[in-house]
Amino acid sequence: MPRSVSDQVVVIAGASSGIGRASALAFAARGAKVVCAARTARALDTLVEQITSTGGSAVSVPTDVAEPGAVEALAAAAEERFGRIDTWVNAAAVGVWGRVEDISSEEFDRVMRVNFLGHVHGVHAALPALRRAGGGGIIGISSLEGVRSVPLQGPYTASKWALRALYDTLRMELAAEGEPIAVSTILPAAIDTPFFEHARSKVGAMPKPPPPVYAPEVVADTIVYTAEHPRREVAVGGVAVGFVAGQRLSPALTDAVMSIPRLGVDEMTADRPDNGVDNLDAPIDEAGQVHGNYSGTVLRRSTVTDLLRRVPRPGELLTGALSSIRRARSNGSGTPAVTPAPPPG
């Protein structure tokens, strides 16, 4: 079983704004020691100040997740400061809005380097540390767009589909080896974060989240819960049911619906011109914030998400049981053994 969140050391890659920042605040509020990583040093500094000013424990490590050496250094800094890592959250992401033919190969490459390879680098850095700690969890933030593609977000949706494949593969490999390391994938719906103001636009207008839109805290609460109660996948937002059902039952029909401009393209763009500012190639020097500038209704709770994150599926229970059996056999006893880890400093 994972440690209580109040006793965990948590690394969050992509903590400067949005879901990552909300998650850092939520973990700290529960007593976890938080290592905050992102490219924007000023945003990390304000986050750490916000956490420590209320009695929490946090440090910042400026990190570009597209650089594997930087992510390895992040893991080393976390272990040096707190003695171990219990949960690693991969949340960093960038985006480009536009038609596939209008987005350059270089822009596709950059999105994949951050959104996909950044997670790969996180996994490579986290696994040795989690083994040294005797187990723990990796939580990857994919998206409902990793289940169902939408117009104007080709690089982003491609990266999110790739992430689901990555985490599925990793989960099976660790279970086959009996490793006490959980792998969970979070699939948020449209969330009111600065991601949309930070994305590059090739359509002449600012991007925006399509309704219904949820608050970042809904995702953060799910991530914190998952750190203590791992799940294979958790979709965040009631719209998840429609996304998953549409893709499984009739993807061609869903293609047709999303091809209607009013339901697809128009819902992805705001009625204000693009400001020409984005964080695709370099960070934006700002203080960092959790919420975006969405002007519509923002939902603060999802009953569907509350249910999905609490009820394990039969397949999850079976995979967990097989992993425990494999671990017990590897230990040469009837019960799994966990290597003791030093307490966090």
Side-chain angles (χ1 to χ4, degrees):
M1 288 291 293
R3 290 180 172 89
S4 169
V5 165
S6 62
D7 190 38
Q8 287 196 23
V9 177
V10 181
V11 175
I12 302 178
S16 59
S17 67
I19 291 170
R21 192 179 185 96
S23 298
L25 294 169
F27 272 113
R30 288 280 304 275
K33 295 172 175 61
V34 187
V35 181
C36 307
R39 293 179 297 171
T40 311
R42 184 156 72 100
L44 293 180
D45 289 342
T46 62
L47 174 59
V48 170
E49 181 181 1
Q50 186 175 354
I51 290 173
T52 56
S53 67
T54 56
S57 180
V59 296
S60 68
V61 183
T63 306
D64 184 347
V65 298
E67 300 295 334
V71 184
E72 293 287 347
L74 166 62
E79 288 188 296
E80 181 178 359
R81 176 64 178 85
F82 292 120
R84 67 170 192 259
I85 297 171
D86 298 301
T87 296
W88 185 290
V89 181
N90 281 321
V94 294
V96 181
W97 249 248
R99 301 187 307 162
V100 169
E101 65 181 299
D102 295 331
I103 299 173
S104 70
S105 298
E106 291 77 14
E107 289 167 330
F108 265 92
D109 181 81
R110 179 60 183 170
V111 171
M112 294 302 291
R113 285 184 182 274
V114 175
N115 295 12
F116 176 64
L117 287 177
H119 286 235
V120 172
H121 301 154
V123 167
H124 285 167
L127 285 176
L130 293 172
R131 289 190 175 104
R132 286 189 289 269
I138 295 174
I139 300 176
I141 314 305
S142 179
S143 169
L144 280 178
E145 291 179 26
V147 177
R148 171 68 230 177
S149 297
V150 298
L152 301 184
Q153 296 188 56
Y156 183 82
T157 56
S159 71
K160 295 302 184 177
W161 280 67
L163 285 181
R164 291 186 70 213
L166 169 69
Y167 290 120
D168 286 354
T169 300
L170 178 63
R171 187 182 303 110
M172 290 184 288
E173 291 172 352
L174 293 175
E177 296 164 5
E179 290 280 5
I181 299 172
V183 178
S184 303
T185 310
I186 309 299
L187 309 174
I191 310 297
D192 176 32
T193 76
F195 171 81
F196 300 92
E197 287 83 50
H198 291 167
R200 178 171 295 179
S201 175
K202 314 276 283 194
V203 297
M206 290 290 290
K208 74 175 182 69
V213 177
Y214 295 84
E217 290 85 355
V218 179
V219 189
D221 289 346
T222 298
I223 292 169
V224 173
Y225 184 89
T226 303
E228 204 170 84
H229 308 277
R231 293 289 181 267
R232 179 181 182 275
E233 281 187 342
V234 183
V236 180
V239 71
V241 176
F243 257 63
V244 174
Q247 185 65 11
R248 289 182 177 177
L249 297 177
S250 183
L253 177 60
T254 309
D255 282 352
V257 171
M258 295 300 293
S259 298
I260 300 172
R262 186 174 62 83
L263 300 178
V265 171
D266 292 352
E267 292 289 359
M268 305 290 174
T269 53
D271 57 359
R272 62 185 191 276
D274 176 46
N275 61 9
V277 177
D278 66 72
N279 70 351
L280 184 65
D281 297 318
I284 301 171
D285 185 19
E286 60 184 14
Q289 61 188 51
V290 169
H291 302 100
N293 296 326
Y294 182 68
S295 59
T297 300
V298 176
L299 303 176
R300 304 287 171 180
R301 184 180 178 186
S302 169
T303 303
V304 170
T305 301
D306 290 342
L307 176 64
L308 291 176
R309 75 187 189 189
R310 283 177 167 79
V311 181
R313 300 172 185 176
E316 291 181 84
L317 298 175
L318 178 59
T319 301
L322 292 173
S323 180
S324 295
I325 292 171
R326 175 65 176 170
R327 188 157 62 250
R329 288 176 177 173
S330 298
N331 293 328
S333 65
T335 57
V338 176
T339 303

